[in-house]
Amino acid sequence: MAITGRGNYFENYEVGQVYDHARGRTVTNWDNYALTHMSMNTASAHFDLLLSTSAMDGRFKERIVAGPCTLNIVIGLTTEDMSENAFMDVGIDKIRLHAPVFQGDTLYARSEVLELRDSNREDAGLMRYRFVGRNQDNTEIATGERIVLVKRASHWSDHDASFGRKTA
C-alpha cells in the first residue's frame, strides 16, 4: 500500500513502506541550462537544439536534459516524505537513467524504504530507500538508492514543535 507523509522522523518509517510522492514537476529548458552550465558540462546535446534533434538520425525531439538535472528533480520530489527531517545525505548508489528526459516532461517519484539502522548519533538513524522516477507517460526514467541520516522524534519533536514545525 502506498502512503504519503510529511516531516517523518526515523521512528515513523518501516522497511517495505512505499511512498507515492504527491507532487509532479514539469522540466523546463531553464532547469537544464542552469545545471548544465553551472556544472560546466560541455556536452552540446544538452543545450544545442540543432545538434540534439539531428543526432542519432533525429531520434530526439528536443535538447536532452542532463542526467544530474533529472536526478536532482526526482530526488527533490522525494524529500517531503523521505528526508525533510534529515540532517544529511550519507550516500547515493545504484543510479540508473533508463530513458531520456526533455523539457516539457512532467516527472513523478515513488520511494520504498529498504533499510533502517542505528547511526553513531543517538538523535538520528540511517534510512536507505529506493527511488523511482517516471514521466507523464509512466515511463521509468531514473532509479537509485539514497541513504539519509534522519532525526529521531524522541530527541527532536519537542524542539521542532517549538519552531512551529509539524511533528509526526
Side-chain angles (χ1 to χ4, degrees):
M1 177 174 117
I3 59 175
T4 61
R6 182 173 164 82
N8 293 318
Y9 290 96
F10 183 75
E11 296 92 336
N12 300 121
Y13 295 106
E14 294 178 17
V15 172
Q17 281 178 324
V18 174
Y19 291 79
D20 283 318
H21 305 293
R23 293 179 174 83
R25 169 74 157 65
T26 302
V27 181
T28 68
N29 270 331
W30 184 88
D31 297 324
N32 189 39
Y33 294 154
L35 188 83
T36 300
H37 292 294
M38 184 174 26
S39 64
M40 298 182 69
N41 182 334
T42 60
S44 296
H46 300 306
F47 51 86
D48 183 331
L49 181 60
L50 181 59
L51 181 111
S52 294
T53 57
S54 60
M56 298 178 70
D57 298 322
R59 174 186 288 178
F60 301 122
K61 62 183 180 187
E62 226 331 318
R63 295 166 194 90
I64 303 164
V65 173
C69 183
T70 299
L71 291 169
N72 280 335
I73 292 170
V74 170
I75 291 171
L77 290 168
T78 74
T79 58
E80 182 178 23
D81 298 320
M82 308 309 288
S83 60
E84 190 169 276
N85 274 326
F87 287 115
M88 62 186 278
D89 279 299
V90 175
I92 298 176
D93 196 12
K94 299 180 183 174
I95 293 172
R96 297 292 180 267
L97 299 166
H98 303 285
V101 172
F102 304 98
Q103 71 91 20
D105 284 349
T106 300
L107 306 184
Y108 302 92
R110 173 179 251 216
S111 298
E112 179 182 0
V113 178
L114 299 176
E115 179 184 17
L116 298 166
R117 66 181 191 265
D118 289 333
S119 72
N120 60 354
R121 292 178 58 147
E122 69 177 41
D123 67 339
L126 293 166
M127 176 183 55
R128 181 171 59 96
Y129 72 93
R130 181 173 194 270
F131 59 85
V132 176
R134 295 185 179 279
N135 68 13
Q136 68 281 351
D137 299 321
N138 206 33
T139 300
E140 191 171 284
I141 49 101
T143 56
E145 293 181 8
R146 182 180 183 210
I147 301 171
V148 290
L149 183 66
V150 182
K151 294 177 182 178
R152 290 184 188 271
S154 57
H155 289 76
W156 286 96
S157 63
D158 289 343
H159 175 270
D160 290 346
S162 71
F163 286 96
R165 288 204 28 141
K166 177 189 174 286
T167 58

